[in-house]
Amino acid sequence: MISSNEYGASSWELIVLVDHQYEEEQREFTLRVSGDLHIGGVMLKLVEQMNLSQDWSDYALWWEQKKCWLLKTHWTLDKYGVQADAKLLFTNQHKMLRLRLPNMKTVRLKASFSSVVFKAVSDICKTLNIRRSEELSLLKQSEDTLKKKKKKDKNNKEPVIEDILNLTNSPVNSGSPASPGLYSKTMTPIYDPVNGTPASATVTWFSDSPLTEQNCSILAFSPPNCPPEVLAEMYQPRTLADKAKLSAGWLDSSRSLMEQGIQEDDQLFLRFKYYTFFDLNPKYDAVRINQLYEQARWAILLEEIDCTEEELLIFAALQYHVSKLSLSSEAQDFAHDSEVDEVEAALSNLEVTLEGGKTNSILEDITDIPKLADHLRLFRPKKLSLKPFKQYWFVFKDTSISYFKSKEVGQGEPIERLNLKGCEVAPDVNVAGKKFGIKLMIPVADGMNEINLRCDNENQYAQWMAACILASKGKTMADSSYQLEVKNILSFLQMKNRTMSPQAASNPESMEMKPECFVSPRYAKKYKPKQLAARILEAHQNVAQMSLVEAKLRFIQAWQSLPEFGLTYYIVRFKGSKKDDLLGVSYNRLIRIDMATGDPITTWRFSNMKQWNVNWEIRQVAIEFDQNMSIAFTCLSADCKIVHEYIGGYIFLSTRSKDQNETLDEDLFHKLTGGQE
């Protein structure tokens, strides 16, 4: 019998459902509680009433109606606002999740459903041996892409064979005092205690990772390319609006999986979200480099990013080379020092391309700023002219280009001076046709001014293109990265320069190769398999000597050099506009794009941004720039929080430096991306 005192005015009955790991059905318990009882006390009462001896340390209370976890165990029921009508669920915080990785493999592992996604992704990446987890996030497939897939495949089969890698023992109870942190602070390879040989650095520097050598191999090496008929069934964006739908499903990094409606054993995509790949190191990043290569590869195959036919053949040749080496036994040891030496140059190029780290200031940075002066040809598409390209004498100094009628008048007043700071730079190159063009979109008051420059040869093009790329970022040719940028461009042109040897066409390899596996389905239809195989082998001659990691890094580098690289699209409506536009979000700028033509209208660089926030009532993102310039827009293809988080996330990543090692200021990330005042 319960005494009348216990039925006091302040006590009431609370219903709690319990998820029991050994029982399929939830059990219901009724507790008599009062508003001043803290959450820890509620859990203690519940466990005592259940009278089951098991480890309850991973369990917590989930409030279904409010979609929130009650994790602050010292808070009272009153403080949380829990009353008699609340139905609470006592459930484990770590649950099974299926993750589709960039290489289209599915892994099944335990993930935290109560931590914010930023933290959950960090734990997942530790399990998978992927450093720099802040560059990745979780993506939910959008309804539109699912519908189109179902239409294409009447039987609703998964387009890629579901081969699930089970990592059920993954140690995701991070933060426990027993494990001070899974990252090796010294980055020193560990030695096998039995035979004294160095253990694979990639596997063992995450001391608690459940990845065996075999599993790591699955994630660090590329699977054979999928058959063309499977590729044809996969969702391919046809328009910029379709591309905008692909990026609508990013989860909110400041909320937990459970708060966003994710259930146990749901499938999510783990993807590189931010295109600033920091400190890539083949010795420790075999999995990371491979997954990055795979994400780039699928973006090319499914035409999520546009490239020319010449570029597509380079990508095909590099894929063919990687698939050949992945199947051969020599490629299996990816931690050899010799291989690390071979890719050092490629790595420094990658860092420069992405501005991932701060390059050391060297003496030339403080001496006179170099200049370029040469004859180039110029063309303005908007001007009607019978002779489109006209030769002028060009001088490139600081971040601007001036052009004159001739070399003799080069000291006088130029015809025009073009300031390239904040402009868009795109290559217009066909190596086989000896065409070396640079397309500049220069910001002006009413939009973008298009100018095309034409160079005479590869060396001239590399120097001027590198100068334009740096100037667009506000850097001059005195910057230490200029020479590396020139080298980078020349090496890419070299890969495009195909010299067909007589035996290549009749090579027996072309008989075995399935060329349709290395190009997009649309391109595969243009040529007969034999022709396509010959063209891929022709391009392969320039990359045939590369090691496996170097080939992957070159693929990533070539991907980075595409004009559309790193752009994530959203359909928005700008304040004061009557039509929808596309917003392209990149690692250093925002671009307003005309939805009908795909042409950039205006560019705003993050370096000129003063502040950004969200008006949550009208779901509007507002951004203020220097010189009293401001913009505001509502997002139509996704939640405005996703776009806001993208901007804040890129600014957060720009604060990283090598001396920080692996530690990140998580609070700063949430401050920059949360959108709260």
Side-chain angles (χ1 to χ4, degrees):
M1 293 290 288
I2 297 167
S3 68
S4 58
N5 289 345
E6 286 186 67
Y7 275 108
S10 62
S11 81
W12 35 275
E13 287 187 343
L14 178 67
I15 295 170
V16 182
L17 292 167
V18 177
D19 255 346
H20 198 282
Q21 58 182 0
Y22 303 117
E23 294 174 19
E24 282 190 22
E25 284 189 19
Q26 295 173 340
R27 288 171 64 192
E28 190 177 288
F29 291 86
T30 305
L31 306 176
R32 179 148 289 277
V33 296
S34 58
D36 58 2
L37 181 64
H38 53 75
I39 298 299
V42 174
M43 293 196 289
L44 188 64
K45 264 193 173 194
L46 181 63
V47 171
E48 283 171 355
Q49 192 170 320
M50 284 190 285
N51 199 23
L52 277 170
S53 56
Q54 73 164 67
D55 181 4
W56 298 103
S57 60
D58 189 41
Y59 276 65
L61 289 168
W62 165 256
W63 189 356
E64 184 55 51
Q65 294 106 311
K66 295 275 184 183
K67 293 265 184 263
C68 71
W69 287 94
L70 309 182
L71 297 174
K72 292 175 179 163
T73 51
H74 59 284
W75 276 29
T76 62
L77 291 169
D78 280 346
K79 193 166 184 179
Y80 264 121
V82 176
Q83 294 176 342
D85 61 345
K87 271 199 177 180
L88 303 183
L89 174 66
F90 191 53
T91 185
N92 44 329
Q93 297 173 64
H94 291 87
K95 300 175 188 290
M96 295 310 292
L97 189 65
R98 286 180 302 129
L99 287 181
R100 176 68 69 85
L101 303 181
N103 67 347
M104 298 297 176
K105 282 269 177 203
T106 300
V107 295
R108 194 166 175 269
L109 43 67
K110 269 199 171 176
S112 172
F113 275 59
S114 60
S115 304
V116 295
V117 164
F118 185 84
K119 183 77 179 70
V121 169
S122 171
D123 293 341
I124 287 165
C125 287
K126 283 173 186 172
T127 302
L128 298 176
N129 287 354
I130 298 173
R131 292 193 310 136
R132 301 291 173 190
S133 64
E134 65 276 10
E135 295 166 1
L136 297 94
S137 194
L138 298 173
L139 183 72
K140 198 176 179 182
Q141 200 166 19
S142 73
E143 294 300 315
D144 289 304
T145 60
L146 281 170
K147 277 177 201 164
K148 288 192 181 180
K149 266 190 186 176
K150 284 176 186 176
K151 275 182 196 171
K152 276 187 172 183
D153 192 356
K154 295 284 163 59
N155 303 324
N156 195 22
K157 291 174 190 163
E158 273 294 310
V160 177
I161 298 156
E162 195 78 326
D163 180 16
I164 296 179
L165 174 63
N166 257 309
L167 301 178
T168 44
N169 302 320
S170 49
V172 283
N173 296 318
S174 64
S176 62
S179 62
L182 303 180
Y183 284 105
S184 154
K185 296 291 173 201
T186 57
M187 301 284 285
T188 311
I190 299 164
Y191 288 81
D192 189 297
V194 180
N195 56 22
T197 56
S200 165
T202 310
V203 175
T204 50
W205 69 281
F206 288 96
S207 52
D208 298 338
S209 175
L211 278 183
T212 59
E213 193 80 46
Q214 184 190 2
N215 287 343
C216 183
S217 209
I218 290 168
L219 301 182
F221 287 93
S222 295
N225 282 39
C226 71
E229 57 274 12
V230 173
L231 190 60
E233 282 174 3
M234 296 179 78
Y235 177 75
Q236 291 164 50
R238 294 291 178 218
T239 63
L240 286 172
D242 285 347
K243 289 179 185 179
K245 285 167 191 166
L246 291 175
S247 47
W250 290 109
L251 296 188
D252 185 340
S253 297
S254 305
R255 292 163 65 216
S256 69
L257 290 172
M258 200 101 149
E259 286 169 328
Q260 298 179 70
I262 306 302
Q263 301 296 314
E264 182 160 19
D265 227 29
D266 276 1
Q267 178 168 284
L268 295 172
F269 290 75
L270 180 71
R271 293 287 183 269
F272 289 89
K273 177 179 180 179
Y274 298 103
Y275 294 89
T276 49
F277 316 125
F278 189 69
D279 185 28
L280 279 173
N281 186 331
K283 200 165 188 176
Y284 306 102
D285 287 332
V287 175
R288 183 178 168 214
I289 288 169
N290 185 58
Q291 295 299 331
L292 194 49
Y293 159 75
E294 285 288 337
Q295 185 160 323
R297 187 171 80 84
W298 283 104
I300 300 292
L301 289 175
L302 298 175
E303 296 189 71
E304 289 171 13
I305 185 166
D306 293 337
C307 61
T308 64
E309 196 168 296
E310 204 169 43
E311 286 159 348
L312 195 67
L313 286 168
I314 292 171
F315 288 122
L318 285 165
Q319 282 179 76
Y320 172 60
H321 189 61
V322 167
S323 69
K324 263 179 74 175
L325 289 182
S326 298
L327 293 170
S328 67
S329 55
E330 310 105 59
Q332 297 305 303
D333 190 1
F334 45 77
H336 276 180
D337 288 343
S338 59
E339 187 146 293
V340 174
D341 294 338
E342 284 173 26
V343 296
E344 265 178 14
L347 279 169
S348 58
N349 284 353
L350 278 170
E351 270 186 32
V352 170
T353 311
L354 288 164
E355 298 184 329
K358 293 172 184 170
T359 50
N360 294 324
S361 293
I362 56 174
L363 191 62
E364 63 182 276
D365 284 351
I366 52 170
T367 58
D368 288 338
I369 292 170
K371 70 173 186 179
L372 289 173
D374 213 338
H375 282 109
L376 300 178
R377 283 163 293 149
L378 176 138
F379 167 56
R380 289 176 178 278
K382 285 178 183 173
K383 286 191 175 177
L384 290 169
S385 168
L386 292 170
K387 188 182 178 188
F389 279 95
K390 197 174 176 186
Q391 187 168 289
Y392 294 98
W393 177 254
F394 281 81
V395 176
F396 199 131
K397 190 156 187 194
D398 291 330
T399 58
S400 58
I401 291 179
S402 306
Y403 64 95
F404 307 82
K405 208 163 191 180
S406 64
K407 185 179 179 178
E408 291 70 40
V409 295
Q411 299 304 316
E413 195 61 34
I415 297 168
E416 190 178 7
R417 183 176 280 111
L418 307 167
N419 185 5
L420 302 192
K421 206 172 174 182
C423 77
E424 294 297 309
V425 185
D428 182 19
V429 173
N430 183 325
V431 177
K434 300 287 179 198
K435 174 186 168 188
F436 303 102
I438 301 168
K439 186 177 169 184
L440 301 171
M441 301 290 283
I442 299 167
V444 288
D446 58 343
M448 303 287 267
N449 198 351
E450 186 178 334
I451 287 173
N452 289 311
L453 303 179
R454 189 66 63 83
C455 302
D456 294 327
N457 53 53
E458 293 182 15
N459 287 326
Q460 189 189 48
Y461 168 78
Q463 290 176 339
W464 285 80
M465 184 65 172
C468 289
I469 289 168
L470 261 65
S472 73
K473 299 170 186 172
K475 295 180 180 180
T476 70
M477 286 176 280
D479 193 90
S480 55
S481 61
Y482 173 68
Q483 292 302 331
L484 282 165
E485 191 71 56
V486 173
K487 241 188 234 177
N488 197 356
I489 292 165
L490 282 170
S491 71
F492 191 38
L493 290 176
Q494 207 176 347
M495 284 199 288
K496 289 183 177 185
N497 194 5
R498 302 195 308 277
T499 48
M500 184 67 161
S501 64
Q503 70 267 27
S506 57
N507 193 324
E509 281 188 66
S510 62
M511 308 304 170
E512 296 164 27
M513 189 204 293
K514 289 183 178 169
E516 320 90 89
C517 298
F518 303 110
V519 295
S520 63
R522 191 163 59 90
Y523 187 74
K525 288 173 190 166
K526 284 176 74 174
Y527 295 95
K528 289 176 180 168
K530 232 180 203 177
Q531 288 175 310
L532 197 52
R535 296 191 74 183
I536 292 171
L537 285 173
E538 194 184 335
H540 179 249
Q541 289 177 312
N542 292 321
V543 300
Q545 301 310 309
M546 289 181 188
S547 68
L548 180 61
V549 178
E550 194 186 354
K552 287 177 183 176
L553 286 169
R554 276 298 175 92
F555 192 100
I556 294 164
Q557 204 173 31
W559 176 45
Q560 291 164 334
S561 70
L562 297 176
E564 269 188 42
F565 167 75
L567 276 177
T568 308
Y569 299 101
Y570 291 97
I571 300 169
V572 298
R573 173 75 62 91
F574 279 88
K575 190 177 178 181
S577 174
K578 290 182 179 176
K579 66 183 185 73
D580 300 345
D581 284 306
L582 275 169
L583 182 75
V585 184
S586 181
Y587 72 98
N588 60 357
R589 67 204 190 282
L590 298 173
I591 308 170
R592 184 177 181 173
I593 299 164
D594 187 294
M595 243 175 114
T597 62
D599 293 336
I601 300 168
T602 321
T603 298
W604 303 279
R605 299 192 95 73
F606 291 157
S607 54
N608 301 330
M609 198 186 286
K610 280 163 74 177
Q611 66 169 41
W612 67 103
N613 54 58
V614 179
N615 180 333
W616 294 107
E617 282 180 28
I618 56 172
R619 316 295 290 178
Q620 187 180 74
V621 180
I623 306 171
E624 273 183 50
F625 297 93
D626 294 340
Q627 298 165 341
N628 298 324
M629 231 280 290
S630 63
I631 59 168
F633 57 84
T634 48
C635 197
L636 307 177
S637 62
D639 191 285
C640 64
K641 171 67 170 73
I642 294 176
V643 181
H644 183 277
E645 188 178 302
Y646 243 122
I647 296 167
Y650 272 127
I651 287 166
F652 170 74
L653 294 185
S654 70
T655 65
R656 293 181 297 180
S657 63
K658 280 191 174 173
D659 55 337
Q660 284 177 310
N661 208 332
E662 315 301 335
T663 50
L664 280 172
D665 187 344
E666 197 179 324
D667 290 340
L668 178 64
F669 175 83
H670 293 302
K671 257 181 207 165
L672 291 171
T673 60
Q676 270 70 38
E677 287 300 315

